[in-house]
Amino acid sequence: MSEPGEILYEVRNLSKRYGAVVALDDVSMFVRAGEVVGLVGDNGAGKSTLVKCLSGAHQPSSGQVLLEGVERHWHSPHDAIEAGVETLYQDSGLAPHLSVSANVFLGREELKPGILGRMGFLAQKSMDTRAHEDLERVGIAVPASGRSVSQLSGGQRQAVAIGRAVAWASKVIILDEPTNHLGARQAREVLQVMRSAKQQGLGVIFISHTLPHVLEVTDRVVVLRLGRVVRDAPTSEFDAESLLGTITGLNAT
Ligand SMILES: Nc1ncnc2c1ncn2[C@@H]1O[C@H](COP(=O)(O)OP(=O)(O)OP(=O)(O)O)[C@@H](O)[C@H]1O
Ligand SMILES: [Mg+2]
């Protein structure tokens, strides 16, 4: 486990091209252990592309990805998950026909580090109970874990997806627009989950267009514009207006 304040996860000079489209252009950024970094930018700025490079879903065209100072080449999301990097994608999928607890345990046949790791294989009933308890512990109020996800509201599904990611993460958690489609109370819960992940020493990367949430929960903000980092500064240096101006490029930064 990294000491608080140490650089945990980092990209250096990362570029990603899709054919002629340059989605990321020489991007460098990092997250420390025990830090929440906000990643913001207008539609198409490159946030989700960066998330996919960090999560192993896409390979960068050039540049480096380093976990705890060691260069890594993720060939799939599974590689990054194995190493302790959990990602909630913007268009995250749960398996709707399965129960809450089955979704929490989906694809976790092996014993993993993290809050749920000590459980290993368990009978269905105790798996339901433990999934429920552990989601609650990370601050997600979920309905009965035995219920099918197809019976949950959109916001409740989102809560399960977030709880799953946070519960399994052992180093880094990346949340791409996790408060979308959530009501005010559920959004507050998600912000609280990020705070508790940070207190446990995880590095948290939070992508959002909801600037008050970004200003409230992050320690530092990285602003992307047209695939480039235009600002990387402590959150205390921004207010809502200056952050918006930096994102759009319509006022001096
Ligand atoms: N699979 C792809 N193939 C081609 N171009 C892509 C692909 N994915 C993203 N792009 C392009 O890369 C750029 C960055 O897209 P990206 O999804 O990373 O933006 P974003 O910052 O996440 O935007 P939003 O706020 O709308 O989610 C856009 O110009 C987009 O059209
Ligand atoms: Mg996106």
Side-chain angles (χ1 to χ4, degrees), residues 67-241:
L67 182 64
E68 296 178 312
V70 178
E71 185 170 4
R72 309 299 292 258
H73 296 275
W74 311 131
H75 299 292
S76 72
H78 184 73
D79 289 351
I81 288 168
E82 285 268 284
V85 178
E86 284 287 335
T87 304
L88 177 76
Y89 297 97
Q90 186 169 11
D91 38 17
S92 89
L94 294 172
H97 55 289
L98 296 178
S99 69
V100 170
S101 74
N103 269 282
V104 168
F105 284 89
L106 201 62
R108 309 278 175 178
E109 290 79 15
E110 299 150 0
L111 208 60
K112 295 279 195 307
I115 295 174
L116 299 181
R118 63 187 180 280
M119 284 185 265
F121 284 102
L122 292 173
Q124 186 60 50
K125 202 166 167 71
S126 58
M127 210 161 90
D128 285 353
T129 312
R130 299 302 291 263
H132 191 72
E133 284 174 6
D134 281 294
L135 290 178
E136 272 194 346
R137 192 168 309 136
V138 297
I140 295 283
V142 280
S145 310
R147 268 173 67 185
S148 157
V149 160
S150 63
Q151 296 166 18
L152 304 184
S153 76
Q156 287 170 330
R157 288 182 204 199
Q158 180 75 339
V160 171
I162 293 162
R164 173 174 70 175
V166 175
W168 285 104
S170 63
K171 290 183 181 148
V172 177
I173 173 138
I174 303 164
L175 300 165
D176 194 352
E177 308 207 16
T179 55
N180 280 10
H181 317 300
L182 293 187
R185 193 177 61 78
Q186 284 83 0
R188 297 241 73 76
E189 279 181 15
V190 171
L191 299 184
Q192 195 50 46
V193 166
M194 282 190 266
R195 289 191 191 96
S196 69
K198 163 187 158 146
Q199 275 156 14
Q200 289 162 36
L202 298 182
V204 181
I205 299 175
F206 172 41
I207 293 90
S208 182
H209 288 284
T210 309
L211 301 185
H213 289 169
V214 174
L215 290 168
E216 181 181 331
V217 82
T218 63
D219 300 296
R220 190 155 53 79
V221 182
V222 174
V223 183
L224 281 178
R225 200 189 304 146
L226 300 175
R228 300 185 69 97
V229 174
V230 294
R231 188 90 194 274
D232 177 345
T235 307
S236 57
E237 294 185 14
F238 295 99
D239 58 22
E241 198 182 343

Side-chain angles (χ1 to χ4, degrees), residues 18-36:
Y18 296 107
V21 177
V22 180
L24 295 174
D25 183 7
D26 200 28
V27 166
S28 296
M29 72 159 287
F30 62 85
V31 61
R32 298 185 176 96
E35 183 184 43
V36 183

Side-chain angles (χ1 to χ4, degrees), residues 10-14 60 62-66 71-72:
E10 182 178 11
V11 297
R12 290 186 194 158
N13 309 108
L14 198 87
S62 60
Q64 291 178 299
V65 175
L66 298 97
E71 185 170 4
R72 309 299 292 258

